Amino acid sequence: IHTSDETVNKIQRMVQGSIASNLMSVPTDCPQRDERLGWMGDAGLSSQVMSLNFDISAFQKAYLDLIADEQTPDGELTEVVPYYRYGTLPPDPSWTNAFPTLIWTRMKFDNDMTPYTKHKNRLKLYLEHLYSIYQTKGGHLMYMEDWGNYGDWVPVAEDQKPKVGYTSVVSWIDSLMKSLDLAVQARDLENAVIYQRNASRLVREFVETYYNPKTSLFENGGQTAQSKAIELGFFNKTMQQKLADKLANRVVDADGLTLTSGIIGIKSIFTSLESYGYGKLALALLKGDGSHPGYGYMINNTQEPATSNMWELWESDVKGPDMNSRNHHMFASVGTFLYDVAGLSRTQKFGLVDSEKFPLPFVVGGCCGGLDFASLRTKVSNGEIGFAWDLSLTNQSLFNVTLPTGSSAEVIVPVRGPVPSRIRIKESDALIFSGRLYSKKHLIKSASVPGIKSIRYNSKEKTIRIQVKSGDFRFSIVESEESLKGFGGARPQVESF
């Protein structure tokens, strides 16, 4: 990833550095102190960002085998794999959630169902074990307050940390939903029915136990509690938006645009804001002001600025020597949001959209947060995806796309001028449309260009959606009468792939 924001670029380098130096046979927590263990919480939280930045498939599948080897006959897993020296029993479900998460990640990134086929019986045994704990505790989530060991580990604000039982329940539901997705994709209908039934029951009890309809807040209403509920996506679009609005208000008003989350909340806070129209707020929260604990503080503090790795503590520069690594990847899950920022995300209005055979977990991408340009590359099972965009000029937008064989996608381009307006769209040197956009959703009649399936204008979103097949595409979009007269001059430099 490379963007017009140097803080974002530095965080990306820290994400890559801390992960790369911990891929030593197993995904260790830190490489430099006498621990170097395969903590499952770290491995699960970082599973997707590992896949975006590294060719990690064989590594993660080997680690899944080790996890399975440690499973007890009654289905219990361990927090550390291989199980050595550390880890509490019974384990924290937010740590053992790595088992279904890693299997699900391989399906999402590689369309690879072999991990599920290999481990589905052990996965079912694990979920049955969790259900047995639930029944032993009383058979309702209201009795699970003390379930777990760590919860939202190392939060910025300890007083904002939700109860350990809340994050444990969220992780259990997440395990069920990922397992349901896997079973459906594998046509494993018998287990899919079981997972669906249990997930539906838990979701109902989750809302009954933790949701306050008067305030539209979950649990304590903090960043972690609210964003984890949003991430699970229980409600319809209107209610999800209301929850996100409350989260945004919390971040701005109560928290003063500073982070409060630990490792569990960090994975959801930024994408939960971005997914519901708060991309700029999410980016501002990521960068921080440099003086309060957070990613920006790691980079900009005057005592010990981080350069190539993530810290283990938000204020490592002023903490003592115990549990204070300067190279730890448990906060690296933020890297999935960085790919969102660069243009390959789930719900942004602008950017690159997955459709059909794109083996990625994200659906919509976009140019969010006020950045001028960005570019990204990532490998998937059938090749490499490349995407770059430049919005630095007032009336011209540039979008470069590279899709591997067998893929198709939709490029979403913002219309930045008033509507109706004139617009010219070119792919490389071929003029594919020149005309006026009107304030309606309509199909744009364009010239035939190999690889371009359709071009549509959406007036509500003020976007142009270009559906393309695999190949290399270089789009330039020029808006307004005045800009069309001078079109044909030098184009800004956008990264090519």
Side-chain angles (χ1 to χ4, degrees), residues 271-319:
T271 52
S272 293
L273 288 168
E274 176 213 27
S275 297
Y276 293 94
Y278 294 102
K280 289 186 178 181
L281 176 60
L283 187 61
L285 184 64
L286 170 76
K287 294 167 60 178
D289 61 6
S291 61
H292 292 86
Y295 293 100
Y297 180 83
M298 290 187 195
I299 295 168
N300 298 312
N301 75 89
T302 57
Q303 298 294 323
E304 188 184 340
T307 55
S308 58
N309 302 105
M310 290 281 178
W311 288 351
E312 183 177 16
L313 302 178
W314 291 111
E315 296 175 282
S316 283
D317 60 320
V318 296
K319 298 295 183 179

Side-chain angles (χ1 to χ4, degrees), residues 124-180:
K124 182 179 181 179
L125 187 62
Y126 165 65
L127 295 172
E128 288 174 344
H129 175 71
L130 296 183
Y131 198 81
S132 70
I133 295 174
Y134 163 82
Q135 290 178 313
T136 300
K137 285 182 172 289
H140 195 285
L141 295 184
M142 70 174 69
Y143 305 121
M144 308 290 283
E145 272 194 1
D146 61 346
W147 187 31
N149 304 316
Y150 315 112
D152 195 24
W153 185 245
V154 192
V156 176
E158 187 69 34
D159 61 340
Q160 297 300 315
K161 180 178 178 177
K163 292 180 179 178
V164 65
Y166 179 83
T167 46
S168 294
V169 166
V170 166
S171 296
W172 180 21
I173 295 173
D174 184 63
S175 290
L176 270 171
M177 294 176 74
K178 284 184 168 67
S179 299
L180 172 61

Side-chain angles (χ1 to χ4, degrees), residues 377-395:
R377 300 184 191 193
T378 189
K379 288 184 178 181
V380 291
S381 59
N382 55 335
E384 183 175 87
I385 298 168
F387 184 46
W389 52 268
D390 190 326
L391 300 177
S392 60
L393 297 181
T394 303
N395 56 10

